[in-house]
Amino acid sequence: SGVVISPDGYVLTNHHVVQGADRITVILSGGNEYDAQLVGTDETSDLALLKLDGNNYPYAELGDSDDLMIGEWIIAIGNPFQLFSVSNKPSASVGIISAIHMDFGQQKSGKVFQDMIQTDAAINRGNSGGPLVNSLGEVIGINTFIYTASQFSEGSIGIGFAIPINLAKDIAEELKISGKIDRSFSTGLA
């Protein structure tokens, strides 16, 4: 899943959604298919920015993830279990913000999940990269991962996590400029 974030065709998704892809095709609601170019990707934050050719795309308004409250109603949108192929429309599940500022630190994969938004909305395989929206329809997060009941279960048990949109906006801007996130910095301390 992913979300169009501007009328000129920029699409935000997770890095793990496009990782290793030779060709990326985006299918918008209604079934129109577009080839997408990978503008840049950041494995550490698990975010990627794509670009569709052209202009005048319908796009989602981005909200403010610094202005969230526990208990606030939200909607997770995406393509769980490839259900989009049945109707050319995304699926939505409703829930609340269960927690904010969830820090998981660096994962074995190298990803760093900090300041995550927790939700009980059903997020399943295929929802990754899709938007988490508030009751105003503003994107406040990018659905990223879930906890499952066991290593043998793949479905939602109501514990899902999204990258805050404010972080995603910052990453997307840097990817748009340079195609990557430069983390090669020095503090100047010896």
Side-chain angles (χ1 to χ4, degrees):
S1 295
V3 59
V4 180
I5 60 170
S6 65
D8 56 346
Y10 282 98
V11 178
L12 194 55
T13 189
N14 286 131
H15 164 80
H16 75 262
V17 170
V18 298
Q19 182 177 10
D22 294 326
R23 180 175 179 229
I24 302 170
T25 302
V26 172
I27 305 172
L28 299 182
S29 289
N32 291 334
E33 239 177 84
Y34 303 90
D35 285 331
Q37 298 300 316
L38 181 62
V39 174
T41 185
D42 180 44
E43 185 172 5
T44 301
S45 67
D46 196 18
L47 289 167
L49 186 66
L50 311 175
K51 176 71 169 80
L52 309 176
D53 285 335
N55 287 299
N56 299 319
Y57 290 99
Y59 66 98
E61 293 290 333
L62 304 182
D64 182 358
S65 55
D66 290 338
D67 190 28
L68 301 177
M69 297 184 324
I70 294 173
E72 180 178 345
W73 286 99
I74 53 80
I75 303 163
I77 300 174
N79 180 22
F81 304 109
Q82 298 182 351
L83 290 174
F84 189 92
S85 63
V86 176
S87 68
N88 289 327
K89 292 184 177 32
S91 293
S93 59
V94 69
I96 62 167
I97 293 176
S98 304
I100 54 175
H101 308 298
M102 302 293 288
D103 290 332
F104 296 93
Q106 186 166 2
Q107 307 299 296
K108 290 178 186 174
S109 64
K111 294 175 179 66
V112 177
F113 294 129
Q114 292 181 299
D115 205 30
M116 301 294 282
I117 301 165
Q118 181 183 336
T119 181
D120 65 347
I123 296 174
N124 288 289
R125 181 179 299 258
N127 277 99
S128 291
L132 188 68
V133 302
N134 63 19
S135 59
L136 301 174
E138 301 166 328
V139 178
I140 52 97
I142 300 297
N143 302 321
T144 302
F145 73 94
I146 63 171
Y147 279 166
T148 57
S150 74
Q151 65 182 6
F152 305 107
S153 173
E154 295 183 4
S156 174
I157 60 167
I159 303 175
F161 299 92
I163 298 166
I165 199 61
N166 290 359
L167 171 62
K169 284 190 268 191
D170 291 344
I171 297 288
E173 281 305 311
E174 193 166 338
L175 291 175
K176 195 184 291 186
I177 293 167
S178 62
K180 62 182 180 166
I181 305 301
D182 185 7
R183 291 190 174 84
S184 61
F185 58 87
S186 169
T187 62
L189 301 174

